[in-house]
Amino acid sequence: MAKHNGAALIVVQNVGGAGNVAHAALAEGGVRLELRDASKVSADMIATQREFSDVRVEGSWLVLDVSDDVEGVYDSIVEAGHFKAERVAADGTLSEMAAKKRGAVSLLIDTVAGTIAPIMGILCATGIIKGLLAFADAFNLLETTDGAYQLWYAVADGAFYFMPILLGITAARKFKCNEWLGAALGIALVYPNITALTSGELLGTLFGGTPFAMDYYTTFFGIPVVMPAAGYTSSVIPAILAVYVASKLEPFFDRHLPELIRGMFTPICVLVIMVPLTFLLIGPIATVFCGIVQIVFQAIYDIPVVGGLVCGALVGALWPVLVMFGFQWGLVPIKLMNLSTLGYDYLISPNIACSFTQAVVVLAIFFKTRNKSLKELSFPAFVSGAFGISEPSIYGVTLPLKKPFVIACVGAGIAGAIVGFFGARVFMMSGFGPFAFPAYIDPTGARGFYDVIVALAATGIGGLFSFIVTLFTFKDPETSRAN
């Protein structure tokens, strides 16, 4: 372990001190430090150590991916900082005892992040493909009837259509139950015959005349099976809730069934109970919850004249802060819900400029600073931010300097206000940076290029504001000014 003492000391020195670490957790492939204040971390300094293949802050966690001898590095860090050690699961969740000490909001964020985060990469990848296909269709490079278009669109749209299956697997890992049991519950939600029910004969409507009206097309022993108009394809909340309840049932049957038969009969018992329960109770509850969320945000956006402007400004300005604390995961399900029910999202669309404003602020600092180490750090952070990865800009440059971070947030807020005021929409999941703009192209062609033009203009204005203000106000901190 002695060979890792140097790296361990660098971690302690650049994590904000030992007092800033609540838990030092050993996870599969690395070390996770739960932080009390993520703004105190100098991730770029820690990343200089050869022991770490990647260093990043995710919400309230500092994630250290270790290239070799994970336990040795972990033990050295614990010893150097006298941290409270904690073993965690492969998905990074704390033990039950440690989790109980966390607040309800933190646990909710951890749950959402733990289920959606593992598939965000594939969602962004397929979202980019979908955006490129929208470009190709808009410029008549491909027809929607072309074989090439249809093959690529199968994966571009399929990942979202069958999202409950993906979430069933990740939620099962999160809640520590059989992941194939989770997948089976997701499959039931998107099974073609179930989805086709909504196009059949309408038997009745519950809560008719209210925002929570739900139609039903079949019954389960006389109990109405209510479903959203589009079924549960692309849905988020029902699959997560269903797997959570299943994770409580599975150990019950494992304890009470003979070992010889539990491998087969535990899944049978859980599925026989959970599939009807999901459609009769969990699904409708999730539908009502999502309806409430939509109503609240729609009410804000519907405030005459200023509703979209105010909401857009808040989303744009606060998005980097939400990312810092991991709160952005609480909004992602709403975006996915809007995309599946409305065909577009208006809530998160104002965050388009957040990474760009951070990037241009860092670029302005690169031009102004006379501090060699800050200049060397700024340009790579700018390049990363220009492609939508803002963490190096935030944690390496703007946040430690405080004022540049505020300027970037204000610039993003201005851009968000423009997007919200003009009602620009996003029509699909997307990548980051320049790959986010294709998501603003209406695939139906009804709105033309209106939304992407607004997004580009808003980003340009917000970025220009951030760059100019930083250029004229930035001064090297006296303690770091080059001689």
Side-chain angles (χ1 to χ4, degrees):
M1 290 187 290
K3 65 179 181 179
H4 303 305
N5 286 346
L9 290 173
I10 292 294
V11 170
V12 175
Q13 293 168 0
N14 291 278
V15 80
N20 194 37
V21 176
H23 294 279
L26 175 62
E28 182 178 343
V31 179
R32 289 168 60 99
L33 304 180
E34 187 178 21
L35 308 170
R36 294 189 170 91
D37 185 355
S39 66
K40 294 181 179 181
V41 175
S42 298
D44 59 294
M45 292 298 298
I46 299 174
T48 62
Q49 302 303 299
R50 62 176 178 79
E51 279 84 353
F52 308 119
S53 58
D54 189 28
V55 178
R56 61 192 183 277
V57 177
E58 295 181 354
S60 61
W61 290 92
L62 174 65
V63 180
L64 308 172
D65 289 344
V66 179
S67 52
D68 188 30
D69 191 16
V70 178
E71 293 198 11
V73 173
Y74 171 73
D75 291 339
S76 295
I77 292 174
V78 169
E79 183 178 349
H82 303 289
F83 297 140
K84 180 177 180 180
E86 189 76 45
R87 297 271 170 165
V88 298
D91 63 355
T93 52
L94 280 172
S95 67
E96 184 177 353
M97 180 181 68
K100 288 180 179 178
K101 298 179 181 179
R102 305 184 69 184
V105 175
S106 295
L107 287 174
L108 176 62
I109 294 168
D110 182 60
T111 298
V112 176
T115 52
I116 296 181
I119 62 172
M120 277 303 293
I122 196 65
L123 292 182
C124 289
T126 53
I128 290 173
I129 296 173
K130 203 169 185 179
L132 293 175
L133 289 175
F135 263 131
D137 180 44
F139 290 101
N140 296 319
L141 300 176
L142 283 175
E143 297 290 339
T144 57
T145 55
D146 290 346
Y149 183 98
Q150 293 176 345
L151 288 179
W152 280 320
Y153 194 79
V155 69
D157 188 61
F160 296 93
Y161 188 93
F162 294 106
M163 190 182 302
I165 301 176
L166 301 178
L167 291 176
I169 296 172
T170 59
R173 292 173 180 170
K174 182 69 178 177
F175 300 131
K176 300 177 183 178
C177 73
N178 186 328
E179 60 188 44
W180 306 118
L181 189 64
L185 289 172
I187 290 170
L189 286 168
V190 296
Y191 184 65
N193 286 358
I194 293 294
T195 303
L197 287 176
T198 56
S199 60
E201 180 184 356
L202 178 66
L203 298 183
T205 302
L206 300 180
F207 311 115
T210 74
F212 308 105
M214 292 181 283
D215 297 332
Y216 64 94
Y217 303 85
T218 189
T219 63
F220 180 79
F221 294 116
I223 303 174
V225 179
V226 296
M227 294 176 60
Y232 290 108
T233 59
S234 304
S235 63
V236 175
I237 303 298
I240 294 176
L241 289 178
V243 174
Y244 174 76
V245 177
S247 72
K248 303 302 180 183
L249 283 177
E250 185 184 38
F252 171 82
F253 287 111
D254 277 344
R255 287 194 303 268
H256 291 86
L257 289 175
E259 184 176 357
L260 186 63
I261 64 172
R262 72 176 56 150
M264 178 183 297
F265 280 90
T266 291
I268 291 175
C269 295
V270 173
L271 291 174
V272 165
I273 294 172
M274 283 308 307
V275 171
L277 188 64
T278 299
F279 284 98
L280 298 177
L281 184 62
I282 294 174
I285 290 175
T287 301
V288 171
F289 169 76
C290 292
I292 292 172
V293 173
Q294 281 187 314
I295 289 169
V296 170
F297 281 102
Q298 190 65 56
I300 297 174
Y301 265 80
D302 287 343
I303 296 175
V305 183
V306 299
L309 185 147
V310 171
C311 286
L314 289 175
V315 170
L318 296 178
W319 190 259
V321 180
L322 297 175
V323 171
M324 284 169 50
F325 293 100
F327 286 109
Q328 85 278 15
W329 294 113
L331 297 179
V332 170
I334 301 174
K335 178 178 181 178
L336 295 171
M337 173 188 68
N338 286 338
L339 289 176
S340 64
T341 58
L342 302 176
Y344 60 86
D345 173 66
Y346 56 88
L347 172 63
I348 303 184
S349 60
N351 77 344
I352 181 64
C354 294
S355 64
F356 289 99
T357 56
Q358 294 287 339
V360 297
V361 162
V362 170
L363 181 63
I365 292 174
F366 172 78
F367 288 131
K368 285 293 296 285
T369 185
R370 286 181 284 171
N371 180 273
K372 183 178 179 182
S373 60
L374 184 56
K375 187 178 285 287
E376 290 177 349
L377 180 62
S378 297
F379 190 74
F382 158 71
V383 175
S384 178
F387 282 92
I389 311 301
S390 60
E391 284 80 2
S393 297
I394 293 175
Y395 297 112
V397 182
T398 63
L399 193 59
L401 297 174
K402 296 182 177 63
K403 187 176 180 180
F405 178 76
V406 173
I407 293 172
C409 288
V410 172
I414 292 173
I418 295 171
V419 171
F421 181 77
F422 287 99
R425 303 169 178 177
V426 64
F427 295 90
M428 62 199 77
M429 291 295 292
S430 66
F432 305 103
F435 294 107
F437 292 106
Y440 290 80
I441 299 176
D442 184 357
T444 67
R447 292 168 65 91
F449 290 96
Y450 172 81
D451 301 277
V452 73
I453 290 172
V454 171
L456 286 167
T459 301
I461 294 170
L464 187 62
F465 167 87
S466 302
F467 182 80
I468 292 175
V469 172
T470 305
L471 206 59
F472 282 96
T473 62
F474 176 79
K475 294 181 180 179
D476 276 320
E478 293 297 327
T479 55
S480 63
R481 188 181 295 276
N483 295 326

